[in-house]
Amino acid sequence: MNVLVIGGAGYIGSHVVKELNKQGHKVTVFDNLSSGLRQNLFKQNGFIHGDILIKEQLDKAFAQGFDAFIHLAAFKAAGESMVSPEKYSVNNITGTLNIINSAVEHGCKRMVFSSSAAVFGEPQYLPIDEAHPKNPENYYGFTKLKIEEFMAWYEKLRGLRFAALRYFNAAGYDVDGEIFGLEQNPANLLPIIMEVACGMRPKMKIFGNDYDTRDGTCIRDYIHVTDLAVAHVKALEWIAKNDKSLTVNLGSEKGTTVTEMVEAARRITGKPIPADYAERRPGDPASLVASAKYAAEVLGWKAQHSDVDTLLETTYKAYQKWLSKTNA
C-alpha cells in the first residue's frame, strides 16, 4: 500500500515507518519536525514538511493519492495536558479533524490512529480489556477518546475504516539499533531515567510513593516501540483486507512499578541514577495493565520485545549512540 505517515519523523512514527518499509509498503512521511527529527527519516521514503493545523498543506499531501494514512502527530504528555488544555485541544482535536477531513475529501479512507490507555482512566478491574469503561482522568486521554468517537461517526457517514490502537506505555528503541534520534523534551519515564544515567540531568523525580501498589509507586504496562510498530502494520493490513474498523488494546500484559524500573536501570547501566520522591501528579492512575488477548486473536500479535531488560538495554544503547555522534 501507499501510506502517508503523519508524525513519521517522531519517536514512535519512525519505528512504524521502518516496519512499513520492512513489509514492502511505499511510505511518505508528513511532519512539521517540532518534535520529530530529520535523522529519523529513511532515505527511501518521501518527506513532506507540513503542519496538521494548516489544512491546505494536508490537502496538498493527500492530493498525491494514498491508500491509507497513519496518524501519530498528537501531543501526548498527560501531565502537561492538565495545565495546558488549550494546546491539546488545538493540536489533538482540531489537528486530527483537519487530517480526517482532508483524507476523506481525497478518497483516502483507511486510517490507523495511535490512541491510548489514557481513555480508560482509573481501572475498575485489571487487566484492562477493550470493554472497560472509558473515563479519562487527564485531558490528553479525553482528546484521544473524542477522536475515537469522531472516527466512529466518520465510519458511519463517510465510509472511513479505522484501527484505534490503545497503547499502554510505549518505551524502548529499535532493536536493530538503526533508529536513535532522541525524543525532544521527554516526559515519559524511560527517557528521563536515561537522561539521568547519561549525565544529561542531575536527578529525577518519582511522582508519588503512596499509591496502593506493591512499593507505593505507579504500576504501568510498558510496551516496546518495535512491538508497537509491528501492531500498526498488522492493523493497517487487517482493515484493508477486511474492510472493517478495529479498536484494540496493545500491551505486554505485565505491570512494572516506577521504582522497579529505576532499580533495573541502575543494574543495567551501572549508574547511580539519583531519584527523589515527589507529590503525585493529577490524572495519574495507580495501576494500568493491559489485556492484549483481542490483539492476539484478531491480529495474531503479541509483544515480543517488551521485557524490562530489553526495554532498558535498547534505550540505553540509543542514548549512548546519540551522545557519541553528538560529541564526536
Side-chain angles (χ1 to χ4, degrees):
M1 279 182 278
N2 187 10
V3 186
L4 183 66
V5 181
I6 301 168
Y11 166 57
I12 296 173
S14 57
H15 289 81
V16 170
V17 169
K18 179 177 177 177
E19 184 63 23
L20 286 164
N21 290 338
K22 183 177 174 182
Q23 299 304 325
H25 297 285
K26 181 181 178 183
V27 180
T28 300
V29 170
F30 182 101
D31 202 300
N32 68 0
L33 300 177
S34 61
S35 58
L37 300 171
R38 285 190 181 274
Q39 76 176 81
N40 284 343
L41 300 171
F42 295 88
K43 291 179 180 177
Q44 69 263 46
N45 302 135
F47 174 63
I48 299 168
H49 189 277
D51 195 303
I52 64 173
L53 297 181
I54 303 174
K55 189 168 180 298
E56 294 79 10
Q57 294 180 353
L58 286 164
D59 287 336
K60 189 174 179 182
F62 277 107
Q64 295 183 22
F66 293 96
D67 301 311
F69 66 100
I70 300 177
H71 173 20
L72 300 130
F75 292 146
K76 60 176 184 151
E80 181 189 43
S81 76
M82 298 294 280
V83 294
S84 301
E86 300 85 357
K87 176 180 177 180
Y88 281 70
S89 296
V90 172
N91 187 79
N92 292 13
I93 300 290
T94 306
T96 299
L97 288 173
N98 285 343
I99 293 168
I100 295 174
N101 286 335
S102 285
V104 169
E105 286 166 19
H106 290 87
C108 184
K109 296 187 178 182
R110 295 177 185 138
M111 173 181 184
V112 177
F113 173 60
S114 60
S115 191
S116 170
V119 302
F120 297 114
E122 187 68 45
Q124 295 186 16
Y125 56 84
L126 292 172
I128 298 172
D129 59 18
E130 288 76 9
H132 188 285
K134 285 78 184 167
N135 186 25
E137 291 204 343
N138 54 62
Y139 192 68
Y140 159 71
F142 171 81
T143 66
K144 294 285 189 172
L145 183 58
K146 288 294 123 183
I147 292 164
E148 288 190 12
E149 293 174 0
F150 292 141
M151 292 190 299
W153 273 107
Y154 272 74
E155 179 181 33
K156 292 176 185 176
L157 302 176
R158 290 290 180 264
L160 180 72
R161 298 292 182 261
F162 66 86
L165 306 183
R166 294 176 181 149
Y167 7 121
F168 281 58
N169 286 59
Y173 266 82
D174 178 21
V175 292
D176 299 325
E178 192 176 357
I179 299 169
F180 58 92
L182 302 186
E183 289 187 84
Q184 309 298 296
N185 303 310
N188 295 340
L189 178 63
L190 263 69
I192 290 170
I193 288 174
M194 290 305 156
E195 287 191 358
V196 179
C198 294
M200 298 163 70
R201 64 169 79 197
K203 60 183 178 180
M204 62 175 289
K205 291 180 179 178
I206 296 175
F207 295 100
N209 64 339
D210 57 351
Y211 287 98
D212 184 18
T213 62
R214 53 185 172 265
D215 60 23
T217 61
C218 286
I219 291 175
R220 292 293 181 265
D221 186 333
Y222 296 93
I223 176 171
H224 198 285
V225 66
T226 297
D227 289 331
L228 274 181
V230 170
H232 281 75
V233 180
K234 283 182 175 289
L236 176 61
E237 293 172 345
W238 189 92
I239 62 173
K241 178 181 178 183
N242 294 281
D243 193 33
K244 293 179 182 177
S245 295
L246 174 72
T247 299
V248 65
N249 292 357
L250 300 174
S252 69
E253 302 189 301
K254 302 184 191 80
T256 305
T257 72
V258 176
T259 296
E260 287 167 351
M261 192 64 80
V262 173
E263 289 174 350
R266 289 169 178 151
R267 169 174 56 82
I268 284 167
T269 65
K271 306 292 184 180
I273 311 181
D276 293 334
Y277 291 111
E279 292 295 314
R280 295 184 184 191
R281 292 182 301 191
D284 267 350
S287 185
L288 290 172
V289 181
S291 167
K293 184 179 178 183
Y294 188 56
E297 289 175 3
V298 177
L299 300 177
W301 177 89
K302 185 174 173 59
Q304 302 291 328
H305 307 286
S306 295
D307 58 283
V308 168
D309 282 17
T310 301
L311 290 167
L312 288 165
E313 286 166 1
T314 55
T315 307
Y316 191 44
K317 285 176 183 174
Y319 270 76
Q320 289 177 308
K321 192 169 183 177
W322 184 85
L323 287 168
S324 69
K325 298 272 186 184
T326 303
N327 299 327

